[in-house]
Amino acid sequence: MPSTLSSLAVLINRSIITLEKACSESKLPFPSFDEPFTPASEAFRANPEAEEAAKVIAAAAHQLMMMVLPPSVALYTAVSGEYKSAALRVCLEANVTEILREGGKEGMHVKEIAERTKVNHKKLARCLRYLATHHVYKEVSPDVFTNNRVSSMMDTGKAVDDLIARPEEKHENTPGLAAIASHHLDEVYKAAGYLWESMSDPATAHSFESNETPFNLGLNVKTSFWETIALPEPIWQFRQRRFHIGMKGIAGLESADAILKAFDWRSLPKESVVVDVGGGIGGSSLVLAKNLPDIKIVVQDKPTVLAEGATALWEREMPEALASGRVTLQAHDFFTPQPIKNASVFFLKQVIHDWPDPYATKILSELRKAARPDTRLIIVDSAIPFACHDPSGDKGKGVIGAVPKEAPEPLLANYGVANELTYAADVTMLIVTNAQERTVKHLGELLQSTGWRMTKIVRDHETGSFMQPVEAVPMVKIPVGDTAE
């Protein structure tokens, strides 16, 4: 039998050949690590073989690294995560990526960078060198640094002089990826250090309240994350704008038409009603409305959310849909009885993962009470895989897509770090809101406890690597009881 080391090496070599062949055949070159990121540079992942090969390479290379390093060093690659985060925040807030972009491909000496950032060049050099050691930025010669593909992800695209003159507007009108990174390196990073304190304190250890979280300890606030970022203080107003811009950046990581693959929308009869529950300003519904002219759409959210952008969005993009009544913007609290009783589809995108089970149960229960026998429930969140092989699968329930594609041996069944975003999102929800991403088993139990039966999970790489639409139908009898934690 070949050793695990040999098996990993074979997987890497075989997958590199597959990746390069797929890129060549599709005429989509594999991007250079020294070139800045552009959306077009990710085009090669549209080829399923290339995408799969890239995931296998990443998972195998990381597993190989952790195996061959001395255990103490391997452990410290995890222990030292806070140093990476701290150094990243220094560079992001000091506009280092934009400074290097303006400095050119040859790079800039750290003294020149520091002169523009107004920080100490010796301290900045240590942060940059540490990050370059982890392949974020590149030290091209002693104390001379330049961007690479990873560091360029933090580029707002703005002129450095403008960023320095108006720092409060740094993330306005940007793609949003720097904004979401800044959010994680600020509020989430500060909250993460208190996870143990929150989990070990008898007062909060078993709490799933949204205002009894590590976020509350780390930021020294009494209100939930959602209430806190709505506070009038300038720092929270800035953080709220940055968060919403960052969420748009995350949404931009998936295909614009991914929502069209979440369900067989064209199977709906004419005049069917689709309710976008907690739909924000209606970005997902806008895609549906443009592609499905024969259905009616109701976008539901809080009055303040609708007022802040929904009307403007629809009047700009599809004014005729509002004027004709084909699209309705409706103020609604999803913890209260659902007013739409004739829905063909209740649609919830990245809603349930924001709430712990007791609250998610309330949301789903209210929808079940309003559902018709033929109503479909579509939840778009992450169906988070176990890190091991799951021999039980869907336990013979015949749920299409319930069993995820597993990585080849000897990789972790969930592809390890290649699926990092899913697990990072799960821990983020734990830290910030006491909520979570859910396994298929957990989600199935949650749905069943609220009168819904899971029937399908859409697992298509084009729907986004970290979200899998889940379809459910009403159960004949609504059960009473608690779901599993």
Side-chain angles (χ1 to χ4, degrees):
M1 292 292 291
S3 68
T4 301
L5 292 176
S6 298
S7 297
L8 289 171
V10 168
L11 271 179
I12 292 172
N13 186 57
R14 184 188 302 155
S15 298
I16 289 174
I17 293 171
T18 299
L19 176 58
E20 291 182 336
K21 181 182 178 183
C23 289
S24 175
E25 290 178 348
S26 57
K27 295 182 172 58
L28 296 172
F30 189 78
S32 167
F33 197 58
D34 292 329
E35 294 296 321
F37 162 83
T38 63
S41 68
E42 286 289 282
F44 76 95
R45 297 188 197 276
N47 183 315
E49 291 185 349
E51 169 72 0
E52 172 68 11
K55 288 174 62 177
V56 170
I57 293 166
H62 186 261
Q63 186 170 333
L64 189 62
M65 178 191 79
M66 296 299 280
M67 286 180 63
V68 301
L69 284 174
S72 57
V73 178
L75 174 62
Y76 220 76
T77 63
V79 170
S80 60
E82 75 275 22
Y83 304 144
K84 301 178 186 70
S85 296
L88 275 169
R89 188 177 183 217
V90 166
C91 294
L92 193 151
E93 302 301 345
N95 308 315
V96 168
T97 293
E98 289 88 354
I99 291 170
L100 290 175
R101 184 237 302 150
E102 291 187 358
K105 294 184 177 181
E106 295 76 19
M108 292 179 66
H109 194 280
V110 71
K111 288 184 178 179
E112 295 179 83
I113 304 170
E115 185 177 346
R116 300 208 66 185
T117 65
K118 307 303 180 186
V119 299
N120 182 277
H121 75 274
K122 293 181 179 179
K123 294 181 179 180
L124 181 60
R126 292 157 69 183
C127 292
L128 278 165
R129 188 166 296 113
Y130 183 56
L131 293 174
T133 302
H134 290 278
H135 305 287
V136 182
Y137 299 109
K138 182 178 181 179
E139 189 168 17
V140 294
S141 60
D143 286 322
V144 176
F145 296 88
T146 188
N147 281 320
N148 63 7
R149 183 169 167 79
V150 178
S151 66
S152 72
M153 295 293 293
M154 297 188 289
D155 193 348
T156 60
K158 295 187 174 183
V160 176
D161 287 343
D162 291 340
L163 293 173
I164 293 172
R166 293 178 293 278
E168 72 282 357
E169 298 179 8
K170 175 170 183 170
H171 300 291
E172 303 294 333
N173 301 312
T174 67
L177 295 176
I180 197 63
S182 183
H183 159 70
H184 275 273
L185 295 170
D186 183 7
E187 304 102 289
V188 180
Y189 174 60
K190 292 170 182 174
Y194 288 86
L195 179 57
W196 167 244
E197 284 73 12
S198 178
M199 290 180 64
S200 61
D201 186 341
T204 56
H206 302 287
S207 171
F208 286 95
E209 294 301 321
S210 57
N211 65 340
E212 294 180 344
T213 69
F215 170 79
N216 294 105
L217 295 176
L219 280 297
N220 193 29
V221 294
K222 301 295 183 183
T223 50
S224 71
F225 170 77
W226 307 112
E227 294 168 316
T228 303
I229 64 170
L231 291 174
E233 288 83 358
I235 181 60
W236 287 111
Q237 290 297 295
F238 169 76
R239 284 168 168 162
Q240 182 184 50
R241 291 197 306 273
R242 180 180 64 186
F243 174 75
H244 289 310
I245 293 168
M247 289 296 99
K248 292 179 183 178
I250 290 292
L253 294 178
E254 65 175 350
S255 170
D257 66 349
I259 187 63
L260 299 177
K261 300 176 182 293
F263 175 69
D264 183 9
W265 300 103
R266 299 193 184 280
S267 68
L268 297 175
K270 289 184 178 181
E271 302 297 310
S272 292
V273 177
V274 174
V275 184
D276 190 353
V277 182
I281 63 175
S284 295
S285 288
L286 185 64
V287 177
L288 292 180
K290 288 181 176 180
N291 287 273
L292 303 166
D294 295 328
I295 66 171
K296 293 184 176 181
I297 298 173
V298 180
V299 180
Q300 295 180 334
D301 215 301
K302 293 181 179 180
T304 52
V305 174
L306 296 177
E308 286 171 358
T311 301
L313 172 70
W314 286 91
E315 288 184 345
R316 182 178 68 250
E317 297 290 335
M318 292 191 72
E320 73 284 358
L322 282 183
S324 67
R326 187 162 73 86
V327 172
T328 303
L329 307 180
Q330 183 180 67
H332 175 61
D333 179 349
F334 46 46
F335 293 117
T336 63
Q338 170 59 236
I340 305 297
K341 308 297 183 182
N342 65 334
S344 293
V345 176
F346 287 126
F347 175 72
L348 300 94
K349 182 178 181 184
Q350 291 187 284
V351 172
I352 297 301
H353 83 144
D354 283 335
W355 300 95
D357 281 351
Y359 293 90
T361 296
K362 180 64 174 172
I363 296 170
L364 296 173
S365 295
E366 293 298 341
L367 295 179
R368 176 62 186 89
K369 292 173 187 176
R372 304 181 313 195
D374 62 346
T375 298
R376 295 295 180 267
L377 174 72
I378 306 297
I379 296 174
V380 181
D381 277 333
S382 291
I384 193 166
F386 294 105
C388 62
H389 170 66
D390 179 14
S392 66
D394 69 346
K395 296 184 178 179
K397 294 180 181 178
V399 179
I400 300 170
V403 181
K405 180 179 180 180
E406 294 185 350
E409 294 283 355
L411 301 180
L412 294 174
N414 64 352
Y415 288 86
V417 296
N419 277 333
E420 171 77 15
L421 278 179
T422 298
Y423 300 91
D426 184 35
V427 179
T428 298
M429 303 315 296
L430 169 63
I431 289 168
V432 176
T433 64
N434 248 336
Q436 66 183 113
E437 310 293 343
R438 293 172 173 88
T439 64
V440 171
K441 176 177 180 292
H442 186 166
L443 188 55
E445 292 171 348
L446 179 65
L447 288 167
Q448 185 173 13
S449 75
T450 55
W452 297 96
R453 178 172 61 85
M454 184 189 300
T455 57
K456 183 179 181 180
I457 298 177
V458 178
R459 296 188 183 274
D460 185 304
H461 74 283
E462 292 182 8
T463 63
S465 61
F466 52 93
M467 287 190 283
Q468 296 78 40
V470 173
E471 183 177 334
V473 298
M475 295 169 60
V476 176
K477 182 178 179 181
I478 302 177
V480 178
D482 296 329
T483 187
E485 293 294 347

